[in-house]
Amino acid sequence: MKKSKAETALTRRRIVETAATLFRRNGIHETGIAEVMAAAGLTQGGFYRHFDSKNQLVAEACSVGTHTTLTADIDAAACPSDGRGVLQEVIGRYLSTEHRDNPSDGCMLTCLGSELARADEDVRAGAAVGFKKMVDTIAEQFRDIEPESAKARAVFVVVAMIGAVTMSRTVPDAELSELILQQTREHLADL
Amino acid sequence: MKKSKAETALTRRRIVETAATLFRRNGIHETGIAEVMAAAGLTQGGFYRHFDSKNQLVAEACSVGTHTTLTADIDAAACPSDGRGVLQEVIGRYLSTEHRDNPSDGCMLTCLGSELARADEDVRAGAAVGFKKMVDTIAEQFRDIEPESAKARAVFVVVAMIGAVTMSRTVPDAELSELILQQTREHLADL
DNA sequence: TGTACATCAGTGAACGCGCGTTCACTGATGTAC
DNA sequence: TGTACATCAGTGAACGCGCGTTCACTGATGTAC
């Protein structure tokens, strides 16, 4: 059963990406090793050939999985279909009902926010890497102000978006959920 | 060992409040029945005399525990020490390092945000009650605009605050954590 | 180039622990007479 | 008011299940000669 190094690395990456998706969908604690491995087309026994512990997987999945979506969205938004700016497009996508309703394809920070806040420093450091990338990506769009101010403003935009999507997923009242997204879109557009 | 009705009700409330504190500190999944009961000065066996399941406790703890702190803070802020308005005072307290560093005394929505987003509808409904109270409390402070607009604005304020405190707890970088709180304070003050 | 051995990714079962839940039992209080 | 019984909050042990982790084993690939 020995695999080539390239194949092993590929398998490892597949496990991390599968885990990131499942963590987003069901949370870290609710996602078991066996479930991750099965979803990756493997059996649980093989897990420890790639990782020392579940916690190591969590840390990797968080640093890899946090920014992927936003980055992909930025790329897609780089040439927005309508006349709106890139920033509007990114904010609009993040605060969309699609993002709200599809956590497993979405932003990890929103899906795991409060779980990450209580996690090991390793895991939190991984999440922070993703957070900083999000901030930088947004900050780049504030071209008319100084870099320092742009970063500060981007920090606010990112945390407001995270809070908004989290709460829009929490309230069962559909109207209120919409209001949360819409209000956040409007207030952030005013910056 | 039979207790009077009043005593039983008191015990039940103590269990709910103890649970709310532990949930805030360690999360729902990480907090066991036995731990809650021990912290309330009881043994685990008695739990099911008061509740049908852990989930029922979670739902109650969320609806009770979500707004307590903010409400208490509003009351305390009703006569702010310095010249600032009540709104500034409330926002300042929510976005303080004290609140960030003491989750067990703080807002449940921030502590459990992403866990709540994936919870049963019962639990989410309980959390939504708390969320709406927070929004109403903030909206009352926007006296110069129409109630509808005030509510809409308050929704944004609340979700931004929740996102900010959650992320300020996540990033291990102390400077960035401060920046998150400070920027959110400033941007919300501008409303 | 061909052969023999070492490596190690992956398998599938088992272990051990924690946690939600159940249960037989206790004994103080409430209730019926 | 006093007595006998029923109730039920609380105890402490046990059950059963799921999950993280371990382990003996397999067999295809890499490596040494």
Side-chain angles (χ1 to χ4, degrees):
Chain A
M1 288 279 205
K2 184 165 180 185
K3 299 290 171 67
S4 71
K5 281 188 184 174
E7 244 179 315
T8 302
L10 219 71
T11 302
R12 187 195 163 95
R13 214 171 68 193
R14 196 171 74 243
I15 296 172
V16 173
E17 279 165 10
T18 306
T21 301
L22 291 173
F23 289 159
R24 280 189 282 248
R25 189 179 312 159
N26 303 322
I28 294 170
H29 218 96
E30 288 75 6
T31 303
I33 299 291
E35 187 185 355
V36 171
M37 293 301 276
L42 299 162
T43 57
Q44 57 184 325
F47 178 79
Y48 293 87
R49 294 285 161 194
H50 295 280
F51 305 93
D52 289 340
S53 65
K54 181 181 180 179
N55 209 57
Q56 193 191 334
L57 173 67
V58 172
E60 279 193 42
C62 286
S63 96
V64 170
T66 299
H67 54 91
T68 348
T69 322
L70 192 81
T71 313
D73 262 8
I74 297 280
D75 292 345
C79 42
S81 41
D82 54 10
R84 299 191 304 168
V86 174
L87 184 64
Q88 302 294 319
E89 186 79 15
V90 172
I91 292 175
R93 282 168 188 252
Y94 200 98
L95 295 168
S96 67
T97 50
E98 285 74 38
H99 186 203
R100 178 195 65 191
D101 298 335
N102 296 289
S104 50
D105 305 327
C107 174
M108 199 136 200
L109 291 174
T110 297
C111 291
L112 301 179
S114 57
E115 274 188 276
L116 293 175
R118 288 185 303 269
D120 291 0
E121 184 146 345
D122 291 1
V123 174
R124 284 161 51 222
V129 170
F131 177 74
K132 284 175 190 162
K133 284 198 184 165
M134 276 180 73
V135 170
D136 289 345
T137 307
I138 298 281
E140 278 171 25
Q141 303 304 321
F142 295 122
R143 299 206 183 85
D144 51 343
I145 56 178
E146 294 188 10
E148 202 62 21
S149 313
K151 187 193 164 187
R153 191 182 288 185
V155 162
F156 175 68
V157 170
V158 173
V159 301
M161 292 200 302
I162 290 172
V165 176
T166 301
M167 290 316 300
S168 77
R169 285 178 182 156
T170 303
V171 298
D173 175 349
E175 207 175 319
L176 180 57
S177 177
E178 286 286 350
L179 182 65
I180 290 169
L181 295 177
Q182 179 228 317
Q183 279 301 310
T184 308
R185 254 183 270 126
E186 286 185 16
H187 277 94
L188 293 184
D190 285 349
L191 293 178
Chain B
M1 287 276 204
K2 185 168 181 183
K3 299 289 171 68
S4 71
K5 279 188 184 175
E7 243 179 316
T8 303
L10 219 71
T11 303
R12 186 194 163 95
R13 212 172 69 193
R14 196 172 73 244
I15 296 172
V16 172
E17 279 166 11
T18 307
T21 302
L22 291 173
F23 289 159
R24 279 190 282 248
R25 189 179 311 159
N26 303 321
I28 294 169
H29 218 96
E30 287 75 7
T31 303
I33 300 290
E35 188 185 354
V36 171
M37 293 301 276
L42 299 161
T43 57
Q44 56 183 325
F47 178 79
Y48 293 87
R49 294 284 163 195
H50 294 280
F51 306 94
D52 289 340
S53 64
K54 181 181 181 181
N55 209 56
Q56 194 190 334
L57 173 67
V58 172
E60 279 193 43
C62 286
S63 96
V64 170
T66 298
H67 54 92
T68 349
T69 322
L70 192 80
T71 311
D73 261 8
I74 297 280
D75 291 345
C79 43
S81 42
D82 54 10
R84 298 190 305 168
V86 174
L87 184 65
Q88 302 294 319
E89 186 80 14
V90 172
I91 292 175
R93 281 166 189 252
Y94 200 98
L95 294 168
S96 67
T97 50
E98 284 74 38
H99 186 201
R100 178 194 65 191
D101 298 335
N102 297 290
S104 51
D105 305 327
C107 175
M108 199 135 199
L109 292 174
T110 297
C111 290
L112 301 179
S114 56
E115 274 187 276
L116 293 175
R118 288 185 303 268
D120 291 1
E121 183 145 348
D122 292 0
V123 175
R124 284 161 52 223
V129 170
F131 178 74
K132 284 174 191 163
K133 284 199 184 163
M134 275 181 73
V135 170
D136 289 344
T137 307
I138 298 281
E140 277 171 25
Q141 303 304 320
F142 295 123
R143 299 205 184 85
D144 50 342
I145 56 178
E146 295 188 9
E148 203 62 22
S149 312
K151 188 194 164 188
R153 192 182 287 185
V155 162
F156 175 67
V157 171
V158 173
V159 300
M161 292 199 303
I162 290 171
V165 176
T166 302
M167 290 315 300
S168 77
R169 286 178 182 157
T170 304
V171 299
D173 175 350
E175 207 176 321
L176 180 57
S177 178
E178 287 286 351
L179 182 64
I180 291 170
L181 295 177
Q182 179 228 318
Q183 280 299 310
T184 308
R185 254 184 270 127
E186 286 185 16
H187 277 93
L188 294 183
D190 286 350
L191 293 179

mmCIF file of all heavy atoms in Angstrom, chain B residues 4 11-12 18 20 28 39 42 48 61-62 68 70 74-75 86 88 95 107 112 116 170 174 176 183 188:
data_model
loop_
_atom_site.group_PDB
_atom_site.id
_atom_site.type_symbol
_atom_site.label_atom_id
_atom_site.label_comp_id
_atom_site.label_asym_id
_atom_site.label_seq_id
_atom_site.Cartn_x
_atom_site.Cartn_y
_atom_site.Cartn_z
ATOM 1 N N SER B 4 -39.978 22.002 49.164
ATOM 2 C CA SER B 4 -41.163 22.803 48.864
ATOM 3 C C SER B 4 -41.073 23.309 47.420
ATOM 4 O O SER B 4 -39.996 23.348 46.832
ATOM 5 C CB SER B 4 -41.241 23.986 49.810
ATOM 6 O OG SER B 4 -40.235 24.923 49.486
ATOM 7 N N THR B 11 -33.948 26.005 43.015
ATOM 8 C CA THR B 11 -32.888 25.096 42.590
ATOM 9 C C THR B 11 -32.807 25.051 41.069
ATOM 10 O O THR B 11 -31.732 25.134 40.490
ATOM 11 C CB THR B 11 -33.161 23.673 43.125
ATOM 12 O OG1 THR B 11 -33.270 23.724 44.532
ATOM 13 C CG2 THR B 11 -32.055 22.726 42.710
ATOM 14 N N ARG B 12 -33.956 24.964 40.459
ATOM 15 C CA ARG B 12 -34.005 24.916 38.994
ATOM 16 C C ARG B 12 -33.354 26.160 38.399
ATOM 17 O O ARG B 12 -32.559 26.066 37.475
ATOM 18 C CB ARG B 12 -35.459 24.819 38.534
ATOM 19 C CG ARG B 12 -35.602 24.626 37.049
ATOM 20 C CD ARG B 12 -37.041 24.880 36.604
ATOM 21 N NE ARG B 12 -37.100 25.075 35.173
ATOM 22 C CZ ARG B 12 -37.371 24.128 34.306
ATOM 23 N NH1 ARG B 12 -37.608 22.911 34.708
ATOM 24 N NH2 ARG B 12 -37.377 24.384 33.018
ATOM 25 N N THR B 18 -26.227 28.603 36.542
ATOM 26 C CA THR B 18 -24.901 27.984 36.589
ATOM 27 C C THR B 18 -24.503 27.497 35.206
ATOM 28 O O THR B 18 -23.374 27.692 34.755
ATOM 29 C CB THR B 18 -24.906 26.788 37.563
ATOM 30 O OG1 THR B 18 -25.411 27.210 38.822
ATOM 31 C CG2 THR B 18 -23.514 26.217 37.720
ATOM 32 N N ALA B 20 -25.612 28.575 32.314
ATOM 33 C CA ALA B 20 -25.351 29.711 31.426
ATOM 34 C C ALA B 20 -23.920 30.207 31.582
ATOM 35 O O ALA B 20 -23.222 30.461 30.604
ATOM 36 C CB ALA B 20 -26.343 30.833 31.705
ATOM 37 N N ILE B 28 -20.983 24.988 24.877
ATOM 38 C CA ILE B 28 -22.071 24.071 25.212
ATOM 39 C C ILE B 28 -21.582 22.628 25.234
ATOM 40 O O ILE B 28 -21.783 21.899 26.198
ATOM 41 C CB ILE B 28 -23.221 24.215 24.191
ATOM 42 C CG1 ILE B 28 -23.861 25.602 24.316
ATOM 43 C CG2 ILE B 28 -24.268 23.126 24.405
ATOM 44 C CD1 ILE B 28 -24.818 25.947 23.200
ATOM 45 N N ALA B 39 -21.312 22.220 40.013
ATOM 46 C CA ALA B 39 -21.125 23.663 40.239
ATOM 47 C C ALA B 39 -22.329 24.272 40.944
ATOM 48 O O ALA B 39 -22.209 25.282 41.636
ATOM 49 C CB ALA B 39 -20.879 24.378 38.905
ATOM 50 N N LEU B 42 -24.985 20.138 43.448
ATOM 51 C CA LEU B 42 -25.841 18.940 43.402
ATOM 52 C C LEU B 42 -25.094 17.799 42.727
ATOM 53 O O LEU B 42 -23.960 17.961 42.293
ATOM 54 C CB LEU B 42 -27.118 19.254 42.613
ATOM 55 C CG LEU B 42 -28.010 20.365 43.176
ATOM 56 C CD1 LEU B 42 -28.958 20.890 42.120
ATOM 57 C CD2 LEU B 42 -28.783 19.853 44.381
ATOM 58 N N TYR B 48 -32.434 15.189 36.000
ATOM 59 C CA TYR B 48 -33.632 14.841 35.226
ATOM 60 C C TYR B 48 -34.931 14.990 36.016
ATOM 61 O O TYR B 48 -36.001 14.693 35.514
ATOM 62 C CB TYR B 48 -33.464 13.455 34.604
ATOM 63 C CG TYR B 48 -32.368 13.474 33.564
ATOM 64 C CD1 TYR B 48 -31.033 13.265 33.914
ATOM 65 C CD2 TYR B 48 -32.649 13.790 32.244
ATOM 66 C CE1 TYR B 48 -30.025 13.332 32.986
ATOM 67 C CE2 TYR B 48 -31.647 13.861 31.302
ATOM 68 C CZ TYR B 48 -30.339 13.628 31.676
ATOM 69 O OH TYR B 48 -29.342 13.715 30.747
ATOM 70 N N ALA B 61 -31.121 28.152 29.102
ATOM 71 C CA ALA B 61 -29.951 28.953 29.476
ATOM 72 C C ALA B 61 -29.702 30.036 28.435
ATOM 73 O O ALA B 61 -29.293 31.146 28.772
ATOM 74 C CB ALA B 61 -28.725 28.059 29.620
ATOM 75 N N CYS B 62 -29.966 29.729 27.172
ATOM 76 C CA CYS B 62 -29.727 30.709 26.112
ATOM 77 C C CYS B 62 -30.724 31.844 26.156
ATOM 78 O O CYS B 62 -30.354 33.001 25.992
ATOM 79 C CB CYS B 62 -29.744 30.044 24.748
ATOM 80 S SG CYS B 62 -28.267 29.080 24.471
ATOM 81 N N THR B 68 -29.045 39.094 29.804
ATOM 82 C CA THR B 68 -28.858 39.551 31.191
ATOM 83 C C THR B 68 -27.785 40.623 31.310
ATOM 84 O O THR B 68 -28.020 41.685 31.879
ATOM 85 C CB THR B 68 -28.460 38.364 32.098
ATOM 86 O OG1 THR B 68 -28.639 37.164 31.387
ATOM 87 C CG2 THR B 68 -29.292 38.361 33.355
ATOM 88 N N LEU B 70 -26.187 42.577 29.080
ATOM 89 C CA LEU B 70 -26.410 43.855 28.411
ATOM 90 C C LEU B 70 -27.436 44.671 29.169
ATOM 91 O O LEU B 70 -27.256 45.861 29.390
ATOM 92 C CB LEU B 70 -26.885 43.647 26.969
ATOM 93 C CG LEU B 70 -26.841 44.948 26.171
ATOM 94 C CD1 LEU B 70 -25.427 45.254 25.701
ATOM 95 C CD2 LEU B 70 -27.789 44.918 25.004
ATOM 96 N N ILE B 74 -26.974 48.292 30.699
ATOM 97 C CA ILE B 74 -27.802 49.439 30.350
ATOM 98 C C ILE B 74 -28.233 50.142 31.628
ATOM 99 O O ILE B 74 -28.138 51.358 31.752
ATOM 100 C CB ILE B 74 -29.062 49.007 29.586
ATOM 101 C CG1 ILE B 74 -28.688 48.357 28.278
ATOM 102 C CG2 ILE B 74 -29.990 50.203 29.354
ATOM 103 C CD1 ILE B 74 -28.351 49.291 27.181
ATOM 104 N N ASP B 75 -28.695 49.355 32.576
ATOM 105 C CA ASP B 75 -29.145 49.926 33.838
ATOM 106 C C ASP B 75 -28.011 50.706 34.499
ATOM 107 O O ASP B 75 -28.186 51.832 34.943
ATOM 108 C CB ASP B 75 -29.635 48.820 34.782
ATOM 109 C CG ASP B 75 -30.924 48.204 34.261
ATOM 110 O OD1 ASP B 75 -31.547 48.804 33.372
ATOM 111 O OD2 ASP B 75 -31.287 47.110 34.728
ATOM 112 N N VAL B 86 -25.690 57.556 27.095
ATOM 113 C CA VAL B 86 -25.916 56.179 27.500
ATOM 114 C C VAL B 86 -25.414 55.212 26.420
ATOM 115 O O VAL B 86 -24.766 54.212 26.713
ATOM 116 C CB VAL B 86 -27.421 55.934 27.762
ATOM 117 C CG1 VAL B 86 -27.668 54.470 28.034
ATOM 118 C CG2 VAL B 86 -27.902 56.784 28.921
ATOM 119 N N GLN B 88 -23.061 55.583 24.134
ATOM 120 C CA GLN B 88 -21.595 55.504 24.138
ATOM 121 C C GLN B 88 -21.123 54.607 25.272
ATOM 122 O O GLN B 88 -20.197 53.829 25.116
ATOM 123 C CB GLN B 88 -20.984 56.895 24.331
ATOM 124 C CG GLN B 88 -21.395 57.912 23.289
ATOM 125 C CD GLN B 88 -20.878 57.566 21.918
ATOM 126 O OE1 GLN B 88 -19.747 57.133 21.780
ATOM 127 N NE2 GLN B 88 -21.713 57.721 20.907
ATOM 128 N N LEU B 95 -17.598 46.708 24.194
ATOM 129 C CA LEU B 95 -16.355 46.588 23.423
ATOM 130 C C LEU B 95 -15.127 46.855 24.281
ATOM 131 O O LEU B 95 -14.097 47.316 23.780
ATOM 132 C CB LEU B 95 -16.407 47.542 22.236
ATOM 133 C CG LEU B 95 -17.481 47.204 21.197
ATOM 134 C CD1 LEU B 95 -17.651 48.345 20.211
ATOM 135 C CD2 LEU B 95 -17.149 45.910 20.467
ATOM 136 N N CYS B 107 -21.647 38.493 27.365
ATOM 137 C CA CYS B 107 -22.779 38.248 26.480
ATOM 138 C C CYS B 107 -22.721 36.833 25.911
ATOM 139 O O CYS B 107 -21.707 36.390 25.392
ATOM 140 C CB CYS B 107 -22.755 39.253 25.337
ATOM 141 S SG CYS B 107 -24.024 38.943 24.104
ATOM 142 N N LEU B 112 -21.217 32.153 22.284
ATOM 143 C CA LEU B 112 -21.709 30.934 21.646
ATOM 144 C C LEU B 112 -22.149 31.131 20.204
ATOM 145 O O LEU B 112 -22.669 30.204 19.582
ATOM 146 C CB LEU B 112 -22.884 30.385 22.459
ATOM 147 C CG LEU B 112 -22.584 30.052 23.910
ATOM 148 C CD1 LEU B 112 -23.832 29.550 24.596
ATOM 149 C CD2 LEU B 112 -21.476 29.011 24.008
ATOM 150 N N LEU B 116 -24.531 28.499 18.379
ATOM 151 C CA LEU B 116 -25.966 28.760 18.320
ATOM 152 C C LEU B 116 -26.479 28.696 16.880
ATOM 153 O O LEU B 116 -27.581 28.212 16.635
ATOM 154 C CB LEU B 116 -26.280 30.129 18.922
ATOM 155 C CG LEU B 116 -26.044 30.247 20.418
ATOM 156 C CD1 LEU B 116 -26.273 31.680 20.885
ATOM 157 C CD2 LEU B 116 -26.938 29.292 21.184
ATOM 158 N N THR B 170 -10.380 35.841 19.492
ATOM 159 C CA THR B 170 -9.771 34.795 18.669
ATOM 160 C C THR B 170 -8.313 35.076 18.335
ATOM 161 O O THR B 170 -7.466 34.199 18.475
ATOM 162 C CB THR B 170 -10.568 34.615 17.362
ATOM 163 O OG1 THR B 170 -11.919 34.332 17.684
ATOM 164 C CG2 THR B 170 -9.985 33.496 16.515
ATOM 165 N N ALA B 174 -2.153 40.558 20.620
ATOM 166 C CA ALA B 174 -2.817 41.499 21.533
ATOM 167 C C ALA B 174 -3.080 42.852 20.886
ATOM 168 O O ALA B 174 -4.126 43.468 21.109
ATOM 169 C CB ALA B 174 -1.976 41.691 22.793
ATOM 170 N N LEU B 176 -3.545 43.532 17.672
ATOM 171 C CA LEU B 176 -4.652 43.421 16.714
ATOM 172 C C LEU B 176 -5.981 43.314 17.447
ATOM 173 O O LEU B 176 -6.981 43.900 17.035
ATOM 174 C CB LEU B 176 -4.439 42.199 15.811
ATOM 175 C CG LEU B 176 -5.497 41.941 14.749
ATOM 176 C CD1 LEU B 176 -5.667 43.143 13.827
ATOM 177 C CD2 LEU B 176 -5.135 40.698 13.924
ATOM 178 N N GLN B 183 -11.385 50.134 16.841
ATOM 179 C CA GLN B 183 -11.970 50.540 15.556
ATOM 180 C C GLN B 183 -13.488 50.407 15.575
ATOM 181 O O GLN B 183 -14.201 51.245 15.033
ATOM 182 C CB GLN B 183 -11.397 49.689 14.420
ATOM 183 C CG GLN B 183 -10.026 50.138 13.971
ATOM 184 C CD GLN B 183 -10.069 51.567 13.457
ATOM 185 O OE1 GLN B 183 -10.902 51.919 12.628
ATOM 186 N NE2 GLN B 183 -9.184 52.414 13.974
ATOM 187 N N LEU B 188 -18.712 52.793 15.388
ATOM 188 C CA LEU B 188 -20.094 52.794 15.884
ATOM 189 C C LEU B 188 -20.451 54.129 16.541
ATOM 190 O O LEU B 188 -21.607 54.551 16.518
ATOM 191 C CB LEU B 188 -20.325 51.637 16.847
ATOM 192 C CG LEU B 188 -20.238 50.242 16.213
ATOM 193 C CD1 LEU B 188 -20.563 49.171 17.244
ATOM 194 C CD2 LEU B 188 -21.140 50.106 15.005
#
